[in-house]
Amino acid sequence: MNNIILIGFMGCGKSTIAREIAKKLDLKVIEMDSEIEREESRSISDIFAEDGEGYFRSLETSFLERAQGKRNKIISTGGGIVTVEDNIPLLHNIGTVVFLQADVDHIMKNVKGDTKRPLLQTEDVEEKITSMLEIREPLYMGAADVIIQASGKTIESIVDEVIAIL
Ligand code: S3P
């Protein structure tokens, strides 16, 4: 099977949905953020604080380069994966790129009170999400092979929609 790669904004549900698909199909899930944290032996927040976002982005690209050739995996990416142009062909080489599209309300519900995402540690989180989404939405659209609307749907129905494209 071609790998499935989930892309989308923070809090759209990538990790949860990846885990559920993997469970249903008895496949392995790769959660990029967790893998990067494991490889670096420190949290994403610490990587951002100690070495900056640019360094974190280079770790993401390096991870994608090393993921070439993997098979039968459900891969959950970090929300900023599409912000580096070189990542797009790497994503397509790895598998089918599925964009989980979510609106600001959906995202806000999932990231409320979150302290682990350095880019959302700001006073007006909703305003920050809105402005970041404006920039990123076209990037997700451009990178996607398939677009799945996540807002207003249950995890179960999103999982079924992803499985239907396999
Ligand atoms: C980021 C998203 C995060 C994580 C990092 C940066 C982003 O992953 O990679 O905090 O730039 O959107 P999630 O999308 O899993 O929250």
Side-chain angles (χ1 to χ4, degrees):
M1 187 199 91
N2 222 2
N3 300 304
I4 289 283
I5 305 164
L6 301 181
I7 64 168
F9 202 83
M10 293 174 266
C12 73
K14 299 177 296 280
S15 305
T16 309
I17 287 159
R19 271 198 305 274
E20 290 304 313
I21 297 168
K23 217 191 286 173
K24 244 184 159 159
L25 300 179
D26 197 22
L27 296 172
K28 278 227 165 82
V29 62
I30 299 178
E31 221 274 319
M32 278 187 61
D33 282 349
S34 308
E35 290 298 317
I36 288 173
E37 287 182 324
R38 196 176 50 80
E39 287 180 356
E40 287 281 304
S41 307
R42 53 186 174 151
S43 67
I44 303 279
S45 301
D46 284 347
I47 299 171
F48 268 70
E50 289 162 13
D51 291 308
E53 181 175 348
Y55 179 70
F56 175 70
R57 298 296 169 213
S58 73
L59 295 176
E60 289 187 309
T61 302
S62 155
F63 189 90
L64 292 181
E65 283 165 352
R66 287 177 286 122
Q68 308 289 310
K70 284 197 190 298
R71 303 271 304 153
N72 302 321
K73 303 283 188 288
I74 312 295
I75 302 171
S76 168
T77 60
I81 203 76
V82 293
T83 62
V84 173
E85 219 181 313
D86 288 351
N87 290 346
I88 311 300
L90 293 172
L91 289 169
H92 286 298
N93 274 340
I94 296 169
T96 305
V97 181
V98 178
F99 170 32
L100 297 179
Q101 190 174 35
D103 59 26
V104 178
D105 284 352
H106 177 108
I107 293 165
M108 275 299 284
K109 271 187 214 135
N110 286 337
V111 304
K112 214 161 63 192
D114 176 90
T115 54
K116 294 191 171 146
R117 293 179 172 98
L119 297 176
L120 298 183
Q121 304 315 303
T122 176
E123 196 129 309
D124 192 342
V125 177
E126 185 162 354
E127 204 275 325
K128 176 82 176 180
I129 291 170
T130 306
S131 63
M132 284 178 79
L133 253 186
E134 217 172 280
I135 296 165
R136 288 187 177 181
E137 187 88 1
L139 302 177
Y140 295 127
M141 297 288 244
D145 293 311
V146 180
I147 300 166
I148 291 181
Q149 184 55 240
S151 305
K153 292 186 187 155
T154 62
I155 303 282
E156 183 70 12
S157 72
I158 300 166
V159 167
D160 288 343
E161 275 190 59
V162 178
I163 289 175
I165 65 169
L166 297 179

